[in-house]
Amino acid sequence: MNEAHGRLVPASYDAVVIGAGLAGLTAALRLAEEGQRVAVLAKGVGATHLAPATIDVLGYDDGPVDSPARTLPEFADANPQHPYRRLSIDLIRASLDWFKACLSDHGYRGGLDQNLLVPTAVGVAKPTALVPETMAAADLRQGGRFIFVGFRGLKDFFPAYLADNLARTPLPGGAAVTTRVVELSPPLGVARDVSATGFARRFERADFRESVLAELGRHLMPGEIVGFPAVLGLEGARKVWQELETRLGHSVFEVATLPPSVPGIRLYETMTGALRRRGARLVVGTTVAGAEGSGNRLEGVVAHTAGRPLTYRANSFVLATGGFASGGLQLDSSGEVREPVFDLPVAGLPGPEEPRFERGYFDEHAISRAGVAVDASSRPIDGEGTPVYENLHAVGATLSGAVPWREASGNGLSLASGYAAASAILEAS
Amino acid sequence: MSACTRSAAEHGARILPYHRVVGLELHDNRVVGARVNDERNGEELEIRADIVVNAAGAWAGQIASLGGCVVTVRPGKGIMIAMNHRLVNTVVNRCKPPSDGDIIVPIRTVSVIGTTDIQVADPDELEVTPAEIEEMFDEGEKLVPGFRKARALRVWAGARPLYTLDDVADPRAVSRTHTVLDHAKRDGVEGFITIAGGKTTTFRLMAEHALDTVCEKLRVDRPCTTHEQPLPDSEDERFYWLGARVQAQEPVPGSEEIICECELITRRHLTEAIARRRPTGLDDVRRRVRLGMGPCQGGFCIYRATGILHAFEHLDHQAANASLVDFLQERWKGVQPILYGDQLRQARLDDWIFQGLLAVGHLPE
């Protein structure tokens, strides 16, 4: 570090990524893989810890989507402002392939041509493009006899409610699903209230697994597929899952539960671990609140950390701070929407007389598609379509035009847009 | 209110919530009973009584007309906004003639700012307008600087049962005192009285005055004792204390499942509330234990509470799903008009949980 303008200035980077969700980590890791010196600055961990680690590319259009590859062209035509309009099928496919290779330890299954159908914790058969191997046996497309396992002391998973709905869910091709439930009472000591991560840590212990195996083994019937809440270990998840399959002699899968998402934490740990091994700098717990530049070129961002401002200089910058849920977009009490880091223009806003929200919770709300609009090189643009900075790119939930929680497109958009921004940066340099 | 109904039930009263009065039985200019409709299942019921007391508040005019009497109630709409946390620890009220948005009241875990006063035709149609909300924020800023930056949790509207014999342009000029109307003396209809006007602060006095009239008509000569009787759970004369739920958890943290972290509702609280008011939906449980009323507005507890309700009441999937979806819609109604800042951030997280993670928009039929 050297001293300049009275501020501590760290060494400069090729790229600075703001935000450590899937979009930011994807852009950062791809750039680091190509030899760029990368810094990731994040206020906290990203939405990985909130969402299941499935890669939903496009789950719902008018109804459930069977094949994202087939549906995406018409979907993009019907939604001209949607980020998928600028992300080609080939690019999305490349991003999925890259992701699968990069998380080879997670054994992701699936692809762009055919969505899998996996049960949510309320028993909806949800379409998704990629799932980690610990969730793959949940695929409902062929039907099957399922048993769901609950644990006394885990309040974020209600297998009976799940099973009740799932048994009544019509499946494509008339696939037949039967469900039943077992609740286990593994030893938890004095604790009566154990979080998903608490269970995941216990599953890393052999003695805990033994007691689960002993109790569960008595209940299983031949051929049943066994669904657990997604708490089967953290860094040792693959081993835990394999041991359960081998010892039970049944296919075993995980169902995503309420946040914190254990599979999401695994995803985050693997990607940040890979980043560190590539020499990237990861600073979590810092707020980026200012930019330095000349003309339309950004030269540095000012981050507040440990009580003082620090300028991070770089050739290119990636904004991956998320949408309203992550604070990447903000709405104040008088109705003004802001992007707080660069004060970028916000697109997709309702008109002055138009209500921001509808009365029905499940209606589409006018403000839902608000965000930062970008050009073909993922650069934020103003109302005239001119890039605000020639070397700033925006990715993930910050982008305008999508309603990812309705479309089941969140992680797919983050992955593809993060991948595309990295490609644009690599091309330009 | 639940203490009042419990007390009444302990004294032999039968409480019929969710029953709409659809008619009054009249015989020879005497009200002898009421026909009511169970809103939950549509079943009709006839109730006979020596005296019918109309204590329907803003709806008192509608009930009186079923008995052929004219009582002019002018429902006065007032909105209130619950702000996250206690911005104040005592009531803060501006020293000026009563007007809109001049009072903040700390209650339980929140502070409530109020209110407006707009005369409406129908107490069932209480629209919260953006202008009213803006006014509350502006006035709140005067009471507590920085008010607009605080988190607004929920907005709702109520109807005051303003009763007056005169035409008054400004509803605030109408007295909040109450009147007992004996329809025998007033309209020649026996067995029927109306308690009109008043406000929650004086509700027990209103009841006393109404009952004095009932006793007189039934020729019962006994003094009222309600002013000497504490309501259930208040017998030890201790006030509500904000720290009570935390204190109960502190001796052995983690020894009970906390279903709602915002309001520290345990699984036991929840199942007791379900058992006490069954068969009902989650909205009644909410009123009892503040389920889903904290900062996350049900983001984490609604799924858990639905799972518990499903198991506890042996609900089928349709009833459980309806309860979940109704609860989400009911929360949304009070949240969406004041959604901004950190509360929008929270609401979006809830969207990701319910629509993204769980896909509740695609529940089976």
Side-chain angles (χ1 to χ4, degrees):
Chain A
M1 291 197 190
N2 57 3
E3 196 85 19
H5 308 299
R7 286 178 182 166
L8 285 168
V9 182
S12 66
Y13 296 88
D14 292 320
V16 163
V17 176
I18 308 159
L22 180 59
L25 294 178
T26 297
L29 188 50
R30 260 211 90 207
L31 292 169
E33 281 177 352
E34 299 297 327
Q36 292 220 345
R37 286 168 304 137
V38 178
V40 177
L41 311 176
K43 203 175 211 169
V45 296
T48 46
H49 289 47
L50 304 174
T54 57
I55 304 297
D56 307 347
V57 174
L58 186 64
Y60 297 103
D61 186 4
D62 290 332
V65 169
D66 184 38
S67 160
R70 263 205 323 278
T71 306
L72 274 168
E74 53 189 273
F75 178 82
D77 283 346
N79 300 281
Q81 307 305 321
H82 199 283
Y84 276 145
R85 176 84 173 192
R86 291 170 295 93
L87 302 166
S88 71
I89 295 281
D90 288 344
L91 181 132
I92 298 169
R93 204 183 289 280
S95 75
L96 295 187
D97 291 343
W98 173 84
F99 180 80
K100 278 169 127 171
C102 155
L103 282 106
S104 57
D105 286 354
H106 295 237
Y108 270 86
R109 316 270 177 84
L112 202 54
D113 296 316
Q114 200 69 49
N115 271 331
L116 291 86
L117 282 178
V118 297
T120 72
V122 293
V124 169
K126 187 183 156 190
T128 180
L130 297 188
V131 299
E133 65 187 350
T134 60
M135 296 186 178
D139 194 1
L140 299 161
R141 287 173 301 168
Q142 308 306 322
R145 288 183 294 127
F146 290 86
I147 180 167
F148 291 93
V149 182
F151 293 108
R152 189 179 46 76
L154 178 65
K155 63 195 174 191
D156 288 337
F157 190 64
F158 289 86
Y161 180 41
L162 187 176
D164 235 10
N165 272 323
L166 187 59
R168 285 151 186 95
T169 298
L171 294 169
V177 163
T178 64
T179 59
R180 60 183 198 103
V181 173
V182 58
E183 194 183 28
L184 305 184
S185 303
L188 299 174
V190 292
R192 294 282 174 278
D193 193 354
V194 178
S195 66
T197 42
F199 267 94
R201 276 186 221 104
R202 282 170 170 80
F203 265 102
E204 298 271 351
R205 293 195 338 234
D207 60 331
F208 187 81
R209 291 198 299 275
E210 285 303 330
S211 63
V212 169
L213 283 163
E215 197 181 349
L216 179 58
R218 294 197 294 272
H219 292 278
L220 299 183
M221 296 197 283
E224 275 184 326
I225 306 164
V226 188
F228 283 88
V231 300
L232 301 182
L234 286 160
E235 63 274 9
R238 172 169 248 183
K239 212 184 82 210
V240 173
W241 170 72
Q242 283 171 343
E243 182 183 310
L244 290 175
E245 284 218 322
T246 313
R247 298 271 307 274
L248 291 169
H250 287 253
S251 292
V252 165
F253 66 93
E254 295 184 297
V255 179
T257 62
L258 291 186
S261 161
V262 170
I265 294 171
R266 296 174 199 146
L267 174 68
Y268 175 84
E269 292 299 330
T270 301
M271 291 187 84
T272 51
L275 265 174
R276 287 198 177 93
R277 280 196 303 281
R278 300 262 177 197
R281 182 167 163 74
L282 183 68
V283 187
V284 177
T286 187
T287 306
V288 178
E292 292 174 358
S294 57
N296 71 341
R297 188 161 179 84
L298 204 54
E299 279 161 9
V301 290
V302 183
H304 289 268
T305 183
R308 69 207 193 286
L310 280 176
T311 300
Y312 289 80
R313 297 181 171 278
N315 295 326
S316 54
F317 297 83
V318 178
L319 180 70
T321 46
F324 289 107
S326 310
L329 297 170
Q330 294 170 355
L331 170 71
D332 72 16
S333 72
S334 54
E336 203 73 29
V337 178
R338 277 193 69 222
E339 181 286 301
V341 178
F342 299 105
D343 210 4
L344 295 171
V346 177
L349 292 172
E353 296 302 308
E354 204 183 335
R356 291 186 285 272
F357 302 100
E358 299 298 319
R359 286 162 186 227
Y361 174 65
F362 291 101
D363 294 350
E364 177 158 346
H365 308 292
I367 205 169
S368 297
R369 291 177 194 268
V372 171
V374 295
D375 69 4
S377 303
S378 310
R379 294 177 301 183
I381 50 175
D382 60 20
E384 273 74 57
T386 311
V388 181
Y389 295 106
E390 62 177 27
N391 57 337
L392 173 64
H393 304 261
V395 297
T398 312
L399 299 177
S400 66
V403 195
W405 56 94
R406 280 165 72 90
E407 300 160 358
S409 66
N411 276 352
L413 274 173
S414 288
L415 179 57
S417 63
Y419 186 90
S423 300
I425 290 167
L426 291 168
E427 253 167 59
S429 57
Chain B
M1 281 303 129
S2 73
C4 286
T5 52
R6 260 179 71 196
S7 172
E10 283 166 12
H11 286 84
R14 211 175 139 207
I15 316 278
L16 298 172
Y18 293 107
H19 282 70
R20 181 186 291 270
V21 177
V22 291
L24 294 177
E25 292 296 326
L26 276 155
H27 278 299
D28 303 329
N29 283 335
R30 168 180 281 274
V31 175
V32 294
R35 266 180 296 115
V36 295
N37 195 342
D38 188 335
E39 301 261 286
R40 295 162 297 186
N41 54 24
E43 272 173 34
E44 218 165 85
L45 191 68
E46 274 193 32
I47 302 164
R48 294 266 153 178
D50 295 334
I51 302 261
V52 170
V53 178
N54 171 18
W59 291 264
Q62 295 178 19
I63 297 294
S65 71
L66 296 174
C69 306
V70 177
V71 172
T72 308
V73 174
R74 295 191 173 83
K77 177 184 69 163
I79 75 156
M80 284 177 232
I81 301 177
M83 307 299 289
N84 194 23
H85 299 311
R86 289 194 169 191
L87 300 177
V88 291
N89 256 325
T90 55
V91 173
V92 175
N93 202 167
R94 291 179 73 191
C95 290
K96 58 171 194 169
S99 77
D100 292 352
D102 59 0
I103 185 168
I104 298 184
V105 179
I107 176 168
R108 304 269 164 167
T109 49
V110 299
S111 337
V112 175
I113 187 167
T115 175
T116 53
D117 201 340
I118 298 165
Q119 197 170 310
V120 291
D122 181 352
D124 286 314
E125 298 287 331
L126 300 176
E127 178 97 6
V128 175
T129 63
E132 285 176 286
I133 290 168
E134 275 301 298
E135 190 183 15
M136 288 305 109
F137 287 153
D138 285 342
E139 296 303 307
E141 197 68 40
K142 292 174 193 162
L143 282 160
V144 179
F147 188 84
R148 271 183 180 275
K149 293 217 161 55
R151 222 164 128 163
L153 287 184
R154 190 170 176 83
V155 61
W156 67 95
R160 297 179 189 80
L162 300 183
Y163 171 74
T164 173
L165 295 171
D166 319 304
D167 270 333
V168 184
D170 177 9
R172 285 207 193 271
V174 178
S175 166
R176 265 59 172 167
T177 55
H178 57 265
T179 314
V180 179
L181 307 173
D182 182 348
H183 293 294
K185 291 178 187 155
R186 187 173 174 270
D187 309 290
V189 178
E190 255 307 339
F192 188 36
I193 68 164
T194 291
I195 171 83
K199 57 189 287 154
T200 311
T201 315
T202 54
F203 79 95
R204 297 201 84 192
L205 188 65
M206 292 165 67
E208 180 176 335
H209 289 166
L211 263 292
D212 285 347
T213 306
V214 171
C215 288
E216 193 187 306
K217 292 175 77 67
L218 294 175
R219 297 200 171 75
V220 173
D221 186 20
R222 266 167 58 191
C224 181
T225 59
T226 55
H227 59 294
E228 288 161 357
Q229 288 183 6
L231 287 168
D233 293 339
S234 311
E235 292 89 346
D236 58 3
E237 297 187 3
R238 278 170 56 191
F239 292 115
Y240 166 80
W241 179 53
L242 187 56
R245 284 183 179 177
V246 178
Q247 192 182 43
Q249 294 301 320
E250 268 174 342
V252 192
S255 61
E256 272 197 278
E257 273 182 286
I258 311 272
I259 300 305
C260 163
E261 280 91 352
C262 298
E263 298 285 340
L264 292 177
I265 301 164
T266 64
R267 185 188 277 261
R268 187 173 47 83
H269 288 142
L270 193 64
T271 49
E272 279 175 5
I274 293 170
R276 194 177 278 183
R277 291 289 298 266
R278 67 200 300 190
T280 54
L282 283 180
D283 205 44
D284 281 318
V285 177
R286 169 187 71 77
R287 266 188 281 276
R288 180 138 205 111
V289 294
R290 296 188 59 80
L291 182 77
M293 290 173 76
C296 92
Q297 288 287 299
F300 287 78
C301 67
I302 294 177
Y303 169 67
R304 296 169 183 163
T306 305
I308 289 168
L309 188 73
H310 170 262
F312 193 84
E313 298 221 310
H314 308 289
L315 297 185
D316 63 20
H317 73 291
Q318 284 166 326
N321 293 344
S323 173
L324 183 144
V325 169
D326 288 352
F327 200 97
L328 286 175
Q329 178 58 44
E330 193 56 35
R331 295 281 78 198
W332 179 249
K333 185 177 84 180
V335 166
Q336 65 88 3
I338 42 112
L339 213 43
Y340 67 87
D342 282 344
Q343 200 55 34
L344 172 58
R345 189 171 177 174
Q346 179 73 60
R348 190 51 57 79
L349 170 61
D350 296 352
D351 290 339
W352 277 107
I353 291 175
F354 289 105
Q355 301 188 44
L357 172 74
L358 301 173
V360 299
H362 302 274
L363 284 164
E365 294 190 349

